[in-house]
Amino acid sequence: MLSGLFIKMVSFIFELKKVLYEVEKEKDVTIKSIEVMLDHIHLFIEFEPRLLLHKIIKDFKGRSSRVLREKFPQLKSRLDREQCVKYWAIFKELHDIEIKRLKQTKTLASMGL
């Protein structure tokens, strides 16, 4: 029998990915890969140079934060807002190397999540 915590975690990951793919469709961005960790996620995205990276990240983070806090109210008191502003980027030259490295690791997607 699956534990309640595991079911909540799978539900959370499902909702997170759903929101991210909605933003992808609306903002003309392609998600190449998603890896969900316990306290952060890795997104590998492709977008046109006319789009601004900080605005894309704002859209992903803003929508996912709002939707997930509505669906999972326990997040409201647990997330540190200071940590929510951090991100970093790898640009196209390194993109292929990072995708290959990611495919070699065991991800939640490979476990069917």
Side-chain angles (χ1 to χ4, degrees):
M1 185 162 95
L2 297 175
S3 74
L5 179 61
F6 179 76
I7 292 170
K8 286 180 184 177
M9 196 165 76
V10 170
S11 175
F12 178 83
I13 292 168
F14 174 79
E15 290 297 328
L16 173 62
K17 287 183 176 184
K18 187 170 91 171
V19 171
L20 295 175
Y21 282 116
E22 287 171 2
V23 173
E24 172 195 41
K25 288 179 187 173
E26 293 173 11
K27 301 299 178 183
D28 197 24
V29 174
T30 303
I31 295 175
K32 297 290 191 174
S33 179
I34 299 175
E35 185 171 355
V36 179
M37 312 302 277
L38 289 176
D39 61 348
H40 66 282
I41 65 169
H42 292 228
L43 273 179
F44 291 95
I45 60 173
E46 182 176 50
F47 58 94
E48 296 293 324
R50 64 182 168 77
L51 299 174
L52 300 173
L53 178 61
H54 73 279
K55 288 188 177 184
I56 294 169
I57 292 170
K58 178 184 170 195
D59 291 333
F60 278 125
K61 291 176 76 170
R63 174 90 56 87
S64 62
S65 176
R66 183 178 51 78
V67 170
L68 293 173
R69 287 171 192 261
E70 287 171 2
K71 292 192 183 226
F72 302 92
Q74 64 272 27
L75 292 177
K76 291 180 183 177
S77 63
R78 298 198 57 138
L79 292 180
D80 181 355
R81 293 200 182 262
E82 216 175 276
Q83 292 179 356
C84 294
V85 297
K86 297 177 185 174
Y87 68 88
W88 56 273
I90 297 175
F91 294 96
K92 191 161 180 86
E93 294 78 23
L94 299 177
H95 177 76
D96 293 334
I97 295 167
E98 292 298 320
I99 291 295
K100 287 177 187 172
R101 185 177 307 149
L102 179 65
K103 286 181 180 177
Q104 292 172 357
T105 64
K106 188 173 186 177
T107 63
L108 289 173
S110 69
M111 294 186 288
L113 300 178

